[in-house]
């Protein structure tokens, strides 16, 4: 998936284009992850990771519901905004993959 994401998103993505409230909520949730992992290890509280996964999934659902990610027939969109939103989607994928790995759950690449 990393190679696919790199090809689709590219480099030098302008994340400042993410201004929708759901995009900002998703960004805030993603930013909690490093401190959460540290506190889980320090406090021996891995259950917090499962709560984080649920909260991240909810934030992602709100974002994906409200924000078009890819152009489609009759619904074109700015290519740079699309790349920024794809980068947000990929960040969610990576965070969920790492969180699930930390609690010993495999993350399927295809469902």
């Amino acid at each position: 998936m990393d190679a696919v994401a790199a090809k689709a998103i590219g480099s030098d993505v302008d994340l400042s284009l993410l201004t929708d409230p759901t995009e900002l909520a998703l960004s805030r949730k993603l930013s909690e992850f490093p401190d959460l992992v540290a506190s889980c290890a320090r406090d021996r509280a891995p259950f917090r990771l499962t709560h984080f996964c649920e909260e991240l999934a909810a934030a992602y659902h709100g974002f994906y519901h409200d924000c078009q990610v890819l152009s489609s027939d009759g619904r074109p969109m700015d290519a740079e905004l699309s790349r920024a939103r794809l980068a947000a989607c990929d960040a969610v994928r990576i965070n969920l993959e790492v969180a699930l790995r930390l609690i010993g759950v495999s993350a399927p690449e295809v469902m």
Side-chain angles (χ1 to χ4, degrees):
M1 286 305 291
D2 292 335
V4 171
K7 185 175 181 179
I9 299 165
S11 60
D12 298 326
V13 177
D14 184 3
L15 297 177
S16 69
L17 297 172
L18 303 177
T19 59
D20 184 87
T22 58
E23 293 168 333
L24 299 176
L26 182 60
S27 296
R28 282 191 297 276
K29 181 52 65 181
L30 288 166
S31 72
E32 295 173 11
F33 190 62
D35 290 337
L36 173 73
V37 171
S39 73
C40 288
R42 181 190 65 237
D43 301 337
R44 296 183 179 164
F47 68 91
R48 292 182 193 153
L49 286 169
T50 60
H51 293 291
F52 173 81
C53 289
E54 290 178 32
E55 293 166 0
L56 181 57
Y60 180 74
H61 176 76
F63 156 75
Y64 199 78
H65 178 268
D66 292 350
C67 299
Q68 180 180 349
V69 176
L70 297 172
S71 292
S72 62
D73 291 338
R75 295 187 63 200
M77 67 177 296
D78 178 71
E80 290 303 309
L81 178 57
S82 180
R83 288 179 58 231
R85 287 179 175 169
L86 281 171
C89 293
D90 197 45
V92 171
R93 175 189 67 85
I94 292 166
N95 273 256
L96 286 174
E97 181 181 349
V98 171
L100 291 173
R101 193 174 333 124
L102 286 171
I103 58 176
V105 176
S106 64
E109 289 191 22
V110 179
M111 294 187 86

